[in-house]
């Protein structure tokens, strides 16, 4: 059994897109494991931070809450957000973008999901073809090689 990895709360906030205060609240509510060191610094279990993250909890997702439940067609979303239509269709098929309803041939999807996915898609540099951008639960995919890299101060 591997021992849990604890990292400073500020590093966890930066790495997973949270504010330090949000992680403190999660720790105080018991949703993530945390320890206060004798010098007063707080460290959190990286695994519990990763495992409790839901797409809906991410600041990148909450940024578009004003679009929650707004219906948009796949083709219209592709044009509006400048993302290839097959890419959006794949995200719908994988369940990362919520399909609200179908009107004849037209599939209407949640614009909040589209805006969030587009933000993650555009955040990655270079050619995204064939690159894994999301985990099964819709949170951004972090390759093992990126996790092992030291964080810039």
């Amino acid at each position: 059994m591997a021992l849990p990895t604890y990292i400073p709360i500020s590093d966890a906030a930066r790495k997973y897109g949270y504010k330090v205060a949000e992680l403190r609240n999660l720790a105080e509510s018991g949703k993530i494991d945390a320890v206060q060191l004798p010098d007063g610094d707080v460290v959190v279990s990286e695994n519990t931070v990763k495992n409790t993250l839901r797409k809906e909890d991410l600041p990148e997702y909450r940024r578009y809450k004003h679009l929650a439940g707004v219906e948009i067609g796949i083709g219209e979303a592709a044009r509006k957000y400048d993302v290839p239509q097959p890419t959006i269709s794949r995200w719908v098929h994988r369940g990362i973008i919520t399909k609200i309803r179908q009107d004849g041939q037209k599939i209407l999807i949640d614009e909040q999901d589209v805006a969030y996915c587009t933000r993650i898609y555009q955040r990655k540099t270079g050619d995204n073809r064939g690159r894994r951008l999301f985990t099964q639960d819709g949170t951004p995919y972090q390759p093992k090689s990126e996790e092992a890299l030291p964080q810039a101060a």
Side-chain angles (χ1 to χ4, degrees):
M1 180 175 121
L3 294 174
T5 302
Y6 283 84
I7 60 175
I9 197 166
S10 58
D11 291 353
R14 185 174 43 255
K15 185 172 184 178
Y16 295 104
Y18 273 91
K19 293 180 181 171
V20 172
E22 291 175 307
L23 283 181
R24 257 186 215 285
N25 288 340
L26 288 171
E28 289 170 2
S29 68
K31 292 183 179 175
I32 61 173
D33 294 334
V35 176
Q36 186 165 6
L37 300 175
D39 64 358
D41 289 344
V42 175
V43 292
V44 294
S45 165
E46 189 167 14
N47 284 338
T48 61
V49 171
K50 277 196 300 195
N51 292 336
T52 58
L53 288 181
R54 297 176 320 147
K55 170 178 76 171
E56 294 79 9
D57 296 331
L58 296 171
E60 295 102 324
Y61 190 82
R62 291 192 312 251
R63 175 183 201 166
Y64 302 105
K65 67 181 175 188
H66 63 283
L67 297 173
V70 174
E71 296 177 344
I72 187 169
I74 293 175
E76 181 185 354
R79 288 185 299 278
K80 181 175 179 178
Y81 290 95
D82 195 26
V83 175
Q85 187 169 340
T87 299
I88 293 177
S89 294
R90 239 184 336 274
W91 292 338
V92 172
H93 180 72
R94 288 184 54 206
I96 296 167
I97 293 179
T98 304
K99 177 180 170 182
I100 296 176
R101 65 185 177 94
Q102 190 160 346
D103 185 17
Q105 293 289 330
K106 187 175 188 175
I107 297 173
L108 297 166
I109 56 179
D110 189 312
E111 190 167 359
Q112 181 180 19
D113 289 347
V114 175
Y116 159 75
C117 288
T118 299
R119 180 162 176 84
I120 303 303
Y121 176 81
Q122 292 171 341
R123 185 171 73 183
K124 299 287 184 179
T125 57
D127 185 7
N128 285 322
R129 287 182 292 183
R131 290 186 76 194
R132 185 172 176 192
L133 298 177
F134 302 100
T135 61
Q136 275 188 306
D137 63 6
T139 56
Y141 175 70
Q142 297 259 356
K144 297 273 186 231
S145 60
E146 282 183 23
E147 290 176 1
L149 294 175
Q151 295 293 320

